[in-house]
Amino acid sequence: MSGHTVERMLRWYPAGWRDRYGDELVALMEDDLGGAPPSARYRWSIATAGLRERALASGLLGRSAGADERMRTGVQLVLAGWAACIFAGAVFAKIAEHFAPALAAPHRAIPQDAFDAVQGAAALAAACTLLAIAVALRALVGFVRAGGWSTLRRPVLQAGAPSILVVVALARLAPWAHSLSNAARNGGDPAYGAAFVAWALLVAGALALWARAGAVAFRGLRPTGRTLGAIGALATIVAVAILAVTAAVALWWAQIALHAPWFLHGTPAGSAGSPWDPTLAGAACVMLLALGVAQHGVSRIVGARRELASHRD
Amino acid sequence: MRAPSARRSNDPPLLILTSLADGPKHGHALAKDIEAFAGVALGPGTLYGAITRLEERGLIEPVPSDDRRRPYRITPAGAEALASAVAEMHRLAAEGAARLGLSLGTIA
């Protein structure tokens, strides 16, 4: 077993764990294997245990990490869930564009309420995110002044570059969209369709990179317990909003499937149509994933809050 | 981490506490001993994951050593946790034996 192999296997573990147990684990591997290369099963044991230690150290699982660390991880999970939900929500908004005329008047109220609920919940979540940034601003300024910009520069630049591309591409895409008919915009013009998908992927990438930059910044902050508690509470509201968005999208889809399935395929009103739409199904899957991630984040926040409260009592 | 479980006799923390009950051992010696008395081959990741959790809970502690093969010993809290798990297993075994009409001494 070469030193390089050992080094690679140890990299599954977090740095703190390697500092404490790394030498012992290497000695165990030497005793177990002699000079022989490790089997796939042996590597698997190290890899899964290393990832588990990483999850425990970051507060993603268990209670090994402190309550503050678990609260931070919970907030970061909600932020990641919200970024995914924004993307899926934008896809939904594009699909749902001009849906009302496709429905007979008596069937319009519920899907319209569901659509309004999606917008209201998204606005609430966006407001909470901005409020959380405002609450964290003082700690962020302190972090940057203490030399944190060197940590932040790379993720911020990586997120900024595709964001500029998104704006530039939108400036080209918007006049093109306005020059097309509804039918051409909704799949009739393959060139426009391909350009829109490329732009949407760029938006998704930019969102993911901003979420990552936010997570890096948040990990570097040293907010007071009160500030962290406030951010945790706002993150919990964001997670509830993601739940509301997902439920409202499901209700909207069910209503359209029931009363105007043709709308999902752009075929004439009253024609036969399947309620199944792969793009909408993809968006719904991303929303469900976002919801799962955010709810796990909330469970970490709630557990950490309980522990912090019990320490205060 | 859950307490060493008396309901799962192949529970790694319980196996490690049992192995350390008769004296300190390092990782490789622990794995060999556990395989010998319980027939359970703990992978390196499982073994060190359990050692990490047991040390966090103060149930085992490292013995000062210059060797990379650092031995561990059971702490008083670890001995108490092991005794409690053994007592629970004994109660469970006695109940099972009684319901089967067997004497614990006759079960191999």
Side-chain angles (χ1 to χ4, degrees):
Chain A
M1 187 178 57
S2 70
H4 183 62
T5 306
V6 170
E7 184 69 27
R8 261 196 331 201
M9 286 169 74
L10 272 183
R11 255 186 264 154
W12 287 107
Y13 286 89
W17 193 95
R18 288 198 303 263
D19 290 345
R20 168 63 186 84
Y21 296 102
D23 284 349
E24 291 177 44
L25 185 59
V26 171
L28 175 67
M29 286 193 258
E30 287 168 1
D31 287 342
D32 282 350
L33 302 167
S39 64
R41 191 174 171 182
Y42 200 89
R43 285 174 190 270
W44 178 252
S45 173
I46 297 277
T48 50
L51 289 176
R52 186 172 162 73
E53 289 302 332
R54 280 188 183 274
L56 287 164
S58 67
L60 206 56
L61 293 175
R63 296 166 67 99
S64 292
D68 278 9
E69 192 60 30
R70 298 203 311 271
M71 174 94 77
R72 272 166 198 280
T73 300
V75 170
Q76 286 173 309
L77 286 170
V78 173
L79 179 67
W82 174 229
C85 189
I86 290 174
F87 177 68
V91 173
F92 165 73
K94 174 73 184 141
I95 291 170
E97 218 176 11
H98 312 304
F99 76 92
L103 290 158
H107 301 308
R108 253 179 227 157
I110 297 177
Q112 187 61 56
D113 288 347
F115 190 80
D116 292 345
V118 171
Q119 289 184 314
L124 174 68
C128 287
T129 307
L130 291 174
L131 196 54
I133 292 169
V135 168
L137 206 55
R138 197 169 163 187
L140 181 64
V141 170
F143 172 58
V144 171
R145 278 190 181 155
W149 176 241
S150 59
T151 314
L152 278 181
R153 188 174 52 220
R154 199 169 162 188
V156 167
L157 290 178
Q158 282 174 343
S163 303
I164 293 168
L165 276 178
V166 163
V167 175
V168 171
L170 183 63
R172 301 292 297 271
L173 210 56
W176 189 4
H178 281 297
S179 70
L180 298 174
S181 66
N182 274 354
R185 269 205 305 273
N186 293 314
D189 184 334
Y192 173 80
F196 184 83
V197 169
W199 180 77
L201 290 174
L202 202 58
V203 171
L207 268 173
L209 288 168
W210 276 117
R212 181 170 152 257
V216 170
F218 190 59
R219 192 149 285 281
L221 301 188
R222 290 289 166 264
T224 61
R226 206 170 158 182
T227 304
L228 194 57
I231 294 171
L234 288 165
T236 305
I237 298 173
V238 171
V240 172
I242 295 173
L243 175 64
V245 166
T246 309
V249 166
L251 178 61
W252 181 91
W253 192 359
Q255 287 293 309
I256 295 293
L258 203 60
H259 302 300
W262 52 86
F263 171 74
L264 296 171
H265 308 283
T267 49
S271 62
S274 157
W276 173 254
D277 178 68
T279 313
L280 186 54
C285 286
V286 172
M287 271 185 199
L288 285 174
L289 184 69
L291 182 62
V293 169
Q295 298 311 311
H296 182 57
V298 168
S299 75
R300 305 308 290 166
I301 292 169
V302 170
R305 283 180 83 98
R306 275 194 196 133
E307 190 176 315
L308 289 170
S310 71
H311 287 172
R312 278 196 295 270
D313 292 344
Chain B
M1 186 190 75
R2 64 180 186 274
S5 169
R7 295 186 190 283
R8 289 178 58 217
S9 60
N10 62 350
D11 187 46
L14 183 62
L15 293 171
I16 291 171
L17 288 177
T18 304
S19 178
L20 294 180
D22 69 351
K25 292 177 191 71
H26 59 68
H28 185 67
L30 266 171
K32 288 287 160 202
D33 184 44
I34 288 167
E35 195 165 1
F37 76 74
V40 176
L42 293 182
T46 308
L47 179 68
Y48 261 90
I51 286 176
T52 307
R53 302 285 92 72
L54 286 168
E55 193 186 350
E56 274 175 6
R57 297 185 63 208
L59 301 182
I60 64 172
E61 62 189 5
V63 177
S65 163
D66 292 335
D67 192 352
R68 285 189 308 156
R69 289 162 182 77
R70 195 194 311 241
Y72 288 87
R73 67 182 161 217
I74 195 165
T75 63
E80 197 178 310
L82 178 61
S84 163
V86 167
E88 193 187 330
M89 276 195 290
H90 185 266
R91 273 197 302 276
L92 190 64
E95 184 66 29
R99 291 185 186 200
L100 286 167
L102 301 170
S103 158
L104 265 184
T106 64
I107 301 171

